[in-house]
Amino acid sequence: KFVLDGVPRMRERPIADLVDGLKQLGATVECVESTGCPPVTIEANGLKGGQASISGKMSSQFLSSLLMASPLIDGDVTISIKDELISAPYVSLTIGLMKKFGVNVQIQGDMDGAPSFLIPSTEKYTSPKTILVEGDASSASYFLAGAAITGGTVTVRGCGSDSVQGDVAFADVMEQMGATVTWAPESITVTRDPNTKLKGVDVDCGKIPDAAMTLAVAA
């Protein structure tokens, strides 16, 4: 039996949706208080296959955690979103990384709506032998924007065309604004001719939320 707790701020973090999903998959887990926040008690009896229906409005992290645990469960697992899924690109990141470790998650429905995810019991993790630990694409946006703003050239390494991170799409926005973008599997280069002025664009940042503030500075 384990108790998960933390600093006072942690006790303000709602995790009831995750606890609910774990219970549906056979976990013995409870929030100690009635707040739906830590501390949480967990009895390590494993998880069972089956179906879980959770909310996707609060955080995509809950869905990602259930997805990552699913290949370790005996039996097929289906996870459904009962309302809407926010921050879908981060779920896609999780699924993309799982694929690199040999697990294929079957997606049913629209990722921007209320999708379902099937992980058959035959899907198990296997080592890729070697893997690039990507740099943070959100942080990389600062340097890419710097090149676009100043009319210079910047190459960021650690994320590129093979990246599983949605925020690499920030480079596409820089290109729409007038910069030149060169992609490689593990790097992105942004440059701008000083004689070419950046232009305004109308962009939905719902899929690159962490890079939205960088875009505001570039604008």
Side-chain angles (χ1 to χ4, degrees):
K1 183 175 181 178
F2 298 87
V3 177
L4 174 65
D5 200 358
V7 298
R9 182 70 181 93
M10 179 66 76
R11 292 190 171 194
E12 298 174 4
R13 296 291 296 260
I15 58 170
D17 291 329
L18 176 57
V19 170
D20 179 49
L22 288 169
K23 284 183 176 180
Q24 294 177 59
L25 294 175
T28 305
V29 53
E30 293 286 349
C31 291
V32 175
E33 307 292 342
S34 59
T35 59
C37 302
V40 178
T41 60
I42 307 162
E43 293 188 17
N45 297 323
L47 296 172
K48 303 174 182 177
Q51 298 184 356
S53 177
I54 66 171
S55 172
K57 285 185 175 181
M58 182 64 69
S59 172
S60 63
Q61 295 177 6
F62 302 151
L63 172 59
S64 288
S65 64
L66 293 175
L67 287 172
M68 288 190 290
S70 293
L72 306 175
I73 299 174
D74 291 330
D76 297 346
V77 176
T78 300
I79 306 169
S80 302
I81 299 299
K82 60 186 179 183
D83 37 41
E84 63 177 321
L85 177 61
I86 65 169
S87 302
Y90 298 107
V91 177
S92 297
L93 185 158
T94 299
I95 293 172
L97 190 58
M98 290 173 66
K99 186 173 183 178
K100 290 186 176 184
F101 282 83
V103 173
N104 291 290
V105 178
Q106 299 177 24
I107 306 172
Q108 301 168 343
D110 185 0
M111 285 287 283
D112 292 325
S116 295
F117 305 87
L118 171 63
I119 305 91
S121 60
T122 53
E123 296 292 331
K124 300 298 181 185
Y125 287 120
T126 56
S127 172
K129 304 301 182 184
T130 60
I131 190 167
L132 170 70
V133 178
E134 294 186 19
D136 180 39
S138 303
S139 298
S141 69
Y142 309 148
F143 303 98
L144 299 179
I149 293 169
T150 62
T153 298
V154 168
T155 298
V156 295
R157 305 188 185 281
C159 56
S161 57
D162 287 350
S163 175
V164 296
Q165 300 178 75
D167 278 339
V168 294
F170 176 84
D172 295 327
V173 181
M174 292 296 95
E175 190 168 41
Q176 292 177 43
M177 294 179 71
T180 300
V181 179
T182 304
W183 294 85
E186 297 178 3
S187 68
I188 307 171
T189 300
V190 169
T191 187
R192 179 177 67 83
D193 186 332
N195 296 318
T196 301
K197 291 186 177 181
L198 292 179
K199 60 184 179 181
V201 292
D202 186 358
V203 178
D204 181 356
C205 293
K207 293 187 176 181
I208 55 169
D210 288 351
M213 292 298 98
T214 313
L215 180 58
V217 172

